[in-house]
Amino acid sequence: MVINSDTMSMETRSATSKVIAVTDREELERWGEQWNDLALQTPGTSPMSSFAYYSAWLDCRLRPGDRWVCALTHQDSRVIGVMPLLVERRKIGPFVY
């Protein structure tokens, strides 16, 4: 496997996987059906693994100024991995991380 850090792609002998960082709700919606399909096809997943759950969670959880990102891995235009993240800044004493 070869990982190209410039394009965030992983090349294997059989196919090329690409990782994209999605930060726009409309773009995320375009991947929603495939995300749900992936969740349904993966053994042992819970309803909280679905796009529908994450989208509803964003609707309820996000406050003005909050940032989020969803890393999607796709291969031949098919979603094969999802990692949604909420970016939070925390302050403990003088430290902000």
Side-chain angles (χ1 to χ4, degrees), residues 67-87:
R67 294 183 310 150
W68 61 273
V69 63
C70 186
L72 289 167
T73 304
H74 61 93
Q75 188 173 61
D76 300 326
S77 299
R78 189 177 125 248
V79 173
I80 60 171
V82 179
M83 181 183 288
L85 302 165
L86 179 63
V87 181

Side-chain angles (χ1 to χ4, degrees), residues 20-60:
I20 59 171
V22 178
T23 57
D24 178 76
R25 292 291 295 270
E26 287 181 23
E27 183 178 357
L28 192 63
E29 286 279 337
R30 289 193 287 270
W31 295 98
E33 185 176 338
Q34 288 187 51
W35 178 344
N36 282 333
D37 290 345
L38 176 65
L40 289 171
Q41 295 168 8
T42 305
T45 58
S46 75
M48 292 182 285
S49 300
S50 70
F51 167 75
Y53 179 89
Y54 183 70
S55 182
W57 183 83
L58 282 176
D59 290 341
C60 295

